[in-house]
Amino acid sequence: MSSLSRLPGIVTTDHVFRVPLDHGAPGGETIEVYAREVVAAGREHDELPWLVYLQGGPGGKANRPTGRDGWLDRALDDYRVLLLDQRGTGRSTPANRQTLARRGDARQQAEYLAHFRADSIVRDAELIRRQLLGADGRWSLLGQSFGGFCTLTYLSLAPEHLREAFVTGGLAGLRRSADEVYRAAYPRVARKNAGHYARFPQDVAAVRRIAAHLVEEPATLPDGGTLTVRAFQALGILLGGGSGSGVLHYLLEEAWVEGADGPELSDTFLAGAQSHLSFAQNPLYAVLHESIYGQRSVDPGATDWSAERVRAEFPEFDAAAALAGDGPVLLTGEMIHPWMFETDPALRPLRGAAQLLAERTDWPDLYDLSRLVANEVPVYAAVYHDDMYVDTAHSLETADAVARTRVWVTNEWEHDGVRTSGRTVLDRLIRMARGEV
């Protein structure tokens, strides 16, 4: 199925593909994967190379273009772009509390969700490539964040079908366990807290006041979720984006209102907090987040709620201890914790499946080091100097390991630089590929 639409400066075509749930059993159950083809208006019939955009996440759908802007504007100068809704997201067969309830108990749900990692996403892309370009066709990749992880998996599984790869904030540690990832992450998050409080010193008191209130009386969010002090700390996920520190500051500014019985958390604040904390629109992010680090040859044990376990090694993130003194309450990052499956209504029905995935010990390897060391596909990567989400040292370690990788290290942008910089970040990488930089 395909349908065509026109928006300012672009022409889009919808594609829906039928793929196996388990690529190891191609005759079994199938699901749908949706992709949106985008081309510059007036170039619909030109012979253009394809660029596949692999979205960050996991569990994020591709961006929805409303015209020719941002990184897409630069890409359309040279490419026909394919925006892939990775399996389980967007217009692909959805995986959420509503659809997973039909699959049976938690064990059946977990077995189903085990097929939604990067290796399956790459094999979906390969089926799509053959349908669009033919058996011998080659295309280029742009992987943002988790999309960069998927790019490394693609280079491991089917590099012969790639012309080039661009990676932004997504060079994963090839042999780093989940525990190693989070031990490196908490100090980065602490630095982002320090930067935020230096920028907005009044927020030290603002966060302490809210945290102290929530210790005594957790709040109810508009969707029925519970804002505990630890859930409030999870708003620190904003600190990894280019405008996130400002967004957090303005949210805190409107935290209180004078109610009938005195000061209370405002509806404005609670609705804003919910918009950043709820996983209703991307539940796979929470359910699969730690599994993206699971590889049997790296750490034969389970990921076992790594972020929660490792957090205990960093007592500076303990809100109660901070409130007992006079220092700042530190906010956390993109870590996923088991209590989220109690406080978030979108996740509560999935807590059994999430627990089974956390206990799983037989995750297949996602990266083939022997192929990556001998890689022949040109890779051009933007590494952000103090990326809160992906460790810079791990990224540079991977860049050294993967042959034909050229890196641009920059402190001009945060993790979302490819989106917030307009054309700049992607243009730099394309010019690197063309030998202009």
Side-chain angles (χ1 to χ4, degrees), residues 242-377:
S243 60
S245 182
V247 171
L248 175 62
H249 171 69
Y250 293 130
L251 180 63
L252 296 173
E253 276 190 333
E254 299 182 275
W256 297 96
V257 67
E258 195 66 32
D261 299 318
E264 60 184 83
L265 291 173
S266 71
D267 288 347
T268 298
F269 171 77
L270 294 173
Q274 176 185 294
S275 71
H276 299 297
L277 296 176
S278 172
F279 288 97
Q281 295 192 62
N282 58 340
L284 288 184
Y285 183 96
V287 175
L288 295 177
H289 201 272
E290 291 193 358
S291 77
I292 69 177
Y293 304 112
Q295 299 186 87
R296 66 167 66 98
S297 70
V298 176
D299 185 354
T303 55
D304 189 27
W305 301 113
S306 177
E308 177 75 6
R309 289 185 293 100
V310 171
R311 178 174 174 154
E313 301 174 17
F314 296 89
E316 60 268 36
F317 285 91
D318 185 323
L323 291 170
D326 56 4
V329 172
L330 298 188
L331 308 177
T332 51
E334 65 169 351
M335 295 78 171
I336 299 298
H337 302 275
W339 52 260
M340 291 176 170
F341 291 82
E342 300 294 337
T343 60
D344 188 340
L347 297 182
R348 282 177 197 146
L350 304 179
R351 59 183 177 264
Q355 180 62 40
L356 291 170
L357 292 171
E359 295 171 358
R360 194 175 183 118
T361 59
D362 61 346
W363 292 115
D365 285 352
L366 294 168
Y367 313 118
D368 185 333
L369 251 62
S370 63
R371 299 194 82 169
L372 294 174
V373 168
N375 174 57
E376 296 182 355
V377 179

Side-chain angles (χ1 to χ4, degrees), residues 5-12 38-41 65-69 72 76:
S5 300
R6 294 184 180 274
L7 290 161
I10 61 174
V11 177
T12 71
V38 187
V39 66
T66 57
R68 186 166 172 168
D69 51 24
L72 182 62
L76 292 176

Side-chain angles (χ1 to χ4, degrees), residues 49-269:
W50 286 78
L51 176 71
V52 182
Y53 179 63
L54 297 172
Q55 169 69 25
K61 65 185 179 183
N63 57 304
R64 272 36 185 171
T66 57
R68 186 166 172 168
D69 51 24
W71 69 262
L72 182 62
D73 180 45
R74 176 61 186 89
L76 292 176
D77 287 349
D78 298 329
Y79 298 96
R80 184 180 301 271
V81 175
L82 192 70
L83 301 173
L84 180 66
D85 278 358
Q86 297 163 14
R87 54 171 51 202
T89 75
R91 289 178 60 185
S92 298
T93 300
N96 53 45
R97 65 175 181 84
Q98 295 163 299
T99 63
L100 290 167
R102 302 197 303 266
R103 302 205 68 88
D105 62 18
R107 189 162 301 279
Q108 292 168 307
Q109 293 174 16
E111 286 302 315
Y112 178 77
L113 290 168
H115 298 295
F116 283 70
R117 296 202 312 155
D119 46 357
S120 296
I121 293 168
V122 167
R123 291 185 173 102
D124 291 344
E126 270 295 279
L127 288 180
I128 293 169
R129 181 195 58 78
R130 287 195 290 273
Q131 291 191 42
L132 292 178
L133 280 72
D136 298 324
R138 295 193 303 157
W139 55 17
S140 302
L141 301 180
L142 170 58
Q144 158 63 13
S145 190
F146 172 69
F149 293 29
C150 294
T151 298
L152 292 167
T153 301
Y154 213 135
L155 291 167
S156 298
L157 295 179
E160 65 276 13
H161 297 136
L162 300 179
R163 297 174 66 248
E164 62 198 350
F166 304 104
V167 176
T168 56
L171 288 182
L174 301 174
R175 286 293 181 265
R176 294 291 184 172
S177 68
D179 284 11
E180 290 177 291
V181 167
Y182 291 112
R183 284 195 183 100
Y186 278 107
R188 295 198 310 276
V189 177
R191 290 197 296 273
K192 294 298 184 185
N193 274 265
H196 175 80
Y197 286 135
R199 186 176 300 114
F200 301 109
Q202 64 270 45
D203 285 0
V204 173
V207 169
R208 284 180 60 88
R209 183 185 179 193
I210 296 168
H213 175 80
L214 293 172
V215 167
E216 297 295 327
E217 185 182 348
T220 300
L221 295 170
D223 66 353
T226 304
L227 185 65
T228 64
V229 67
R230 296 194 82 185
F232 169 59
Q233 285 178 277
L235 285 172
I237 192 171
L238 290 166
L239 298 179
S243 60
S245 182
V247 171
L248 175 62
H249 171 69
Y250 293 130
L251 180 63
L252 296 173
E253 276 190 333
E254 299 182 275
W256 297 96
V257 67
E258 195 66 32
D261 299 318
E264 60 184 83
L265 291 173
S266 71
D267 288 347
T268 298
F269 171 77

